[in-house]
Amino acid sequence: MRRPLVRCLIASLALAGGSVALAGPAVASPAVTVVEQAAATTEAAENRIEAYWTTERMESAIPADVSLAADKARVPAKKVRAAAVPENPQPRLGKVFFTLGGSNYVCSGTATSSSNGDVVTTAGHCLNEGPGAFATNFAFVPAYDHGSRPYGTWTAERLYTTSAWANSGDFNYDVGFAVMNENASGQSLTQVVGSYPIAFNLARGLTYTSYGYPAGPPFDGESLYSCSGTARQDTVGGSQDQGLTCDMTGGSSGGGWLTSGRINSVNSFKYTFDPSTMYGPYFGSTIQSVYNSASAA
């Protein structure tokens, strides 16, 4: 049975206008671990997407939120609630906007060091239904703050995720990488905003700071927040993901988990009865292969 992956924390508002279709079908790599989709591959497509994301559409975009059910008996008796901390905006972190199933959504993302200088790391469900279609109108706004776009709006040329997410909705692999187009001056994203390096196959149980733009109540999605703590194994649902004490809500999905200055996971999901724990996938060799494809694009 297919489960709904993107759930709304706020009511959807009526949106004017249509969506911009992505060009070409999804393509699986020979390694069968990577699924990719062409996005805005022409100047005309870039211009349409930039024009599509008006201030009004950004403000009314639905926060992408994934909540899973699990056996409450497996939840530890003592739970700690940690309030997210407000942060100053920074150019390497931003909001992700996209259209899926006819609705506009918002997530979070991180400008990531790469060979092409164009990669944004986010959650798989922020660019693909898992399983299902890829998003359209994908855009990244670095250092977004109460409607301000100090570094502009960047459109995606290609979208990448794991085949495990795109074909099966496997939360162990809920990761996506977007390769952004250059700006009007011919600059790559990370030339303009900088980037965080990415790391794979690290030890479990590290200390992280997780960033995101939570938009579900009591947050409004207009500013950056963070949570910090030590990651712990998922003993509730049995995934290979790690949990971090954090009360960020929908819209923070895809925000990067940083350890020693390196991105090493993203905000992925929560269990419905435990709003104080955010889970993120372990960045192993499979996710590394997807990143390598995006970095070389």
Side-chain angles (χ1 to χ4, degrees):
M1 179 178 176
R2 181 173 171 179
R3 56 181 179 268
L5 299 177
V6 180
R7 300 181 180 179
C8 307
L9 286 176
I10 58 175
S12 175
L13 300 180
L15 300 171
S19 62
V20 179
L22 296 174
V27 178
S29 77
V32 197
T33 58
V34 183
V35 179
E36 62 178 286
Q37 170 73 65
T41 58
T42 67
E43 184 176 352
E46 292 179 54
N47 292 338
R48 285 197 304 270
I49 294 171
E50 288 180 20
Y52 181 82
W53 288 112
T54 62
T55 298
E56 292 73 23
R57 283 199 175 103
M58 286 187 173
E59 290 180 349
S60 62
I62 303 165
D65 168 54
V66 178
S67 298
L68 305 182
D71 182 1
K72 290 186 180 182
R74 300 182 65 180
V75 180
K78 184 178 180 180
K79 293 186 291 184
V80 179
R81 179 179 175 83
V85 177
E87 297 278 355
N88 292 324
Q90 64 160 286
R92 292 175 288 184
L93 307 174
K95 296 185 75 168
V96 165
F97 297 91
F98 60 99
T99 303
L100 201 57
S103 296
N104 290 334
Y105 291 94
V106 61
C107 278
S108 301
T110 306
T112 306
S113 301
S114 60
S115 297
N116 54 27
D118 295 317
V119 171
V120 168
T121 301
T122 189
H125 69 265
C126 297
L127 52 74
N128 180 277
E129 285 183 305
F134 273 87
T136 61
N137 299 328
F138 190 97
F140 178 64
V141 180
Y144 178 98
D145 186 58
H146 292 86
S148 173
R149 310 185 210 180
Y151 298 92
T153 301
W154 298 71
T155 64
E157 181 182 11
R158 300 196 74 82
L159 304 174
Y160 292 79
T161 190
T162 62
S163 59
W165 176 258
N167 298 331
S168 304
D170 187 341
F171 280 90
N172 293 310
Y173 302 99
D174 180 20
V175 180
F177 299 98
V179 178
M180 313 309 292
N181 286 297
E182 295 179 347
N183 66 11
S185 300
Q187 297 170 300
S188 295
L189 173 68
T190 61
Q191 284 182 279
V192 177
V193 303
S195 63
Y196 281 108
I198 192 167
F200 302 94
N201 296 305
L202 299 183
R204 290 177 177 269
L206 299 176
T207 298
Y208 291 92
T209 298
S210 165
Y211 292 93
Y213 283 82
F219 305 96
D220 62 7
E222 292 301 307
S223 55
L224 181 68
Y225 282 81
S226 72
C227 295
S228 297
T230 301
R232 55 190 180 275
Q233 191 62 31
D234 177 7
T235 59
V236 178
S239 76
Q240 295 303 306
D241 292 33
Q242 297 184 97
L244 191 68
T245 302
C246 184
D247 68 348
M248 285 197 286
T249 57
S252 65
S253 286
W257 290 24
L258 301 180
T259 182
S260 299
R262 299 168 294 178
I263 184 171
N264 186 235
S265 189
V266 296
N267 296 322
S268 176
F269 72 92
K270 289 185 172 185
Y271 291 108
T272 54
F273 51 82
D274 182 14
S276 65
T277 305
M278 179 74 73
Y279 289 88
Y282 177 77
F283 275 22
S285 299
T286 296
I287 291 173
Q288 184 176 18
S289 69
V290 182
Y291 162 78
N292 288 341
S293 294
S295 177

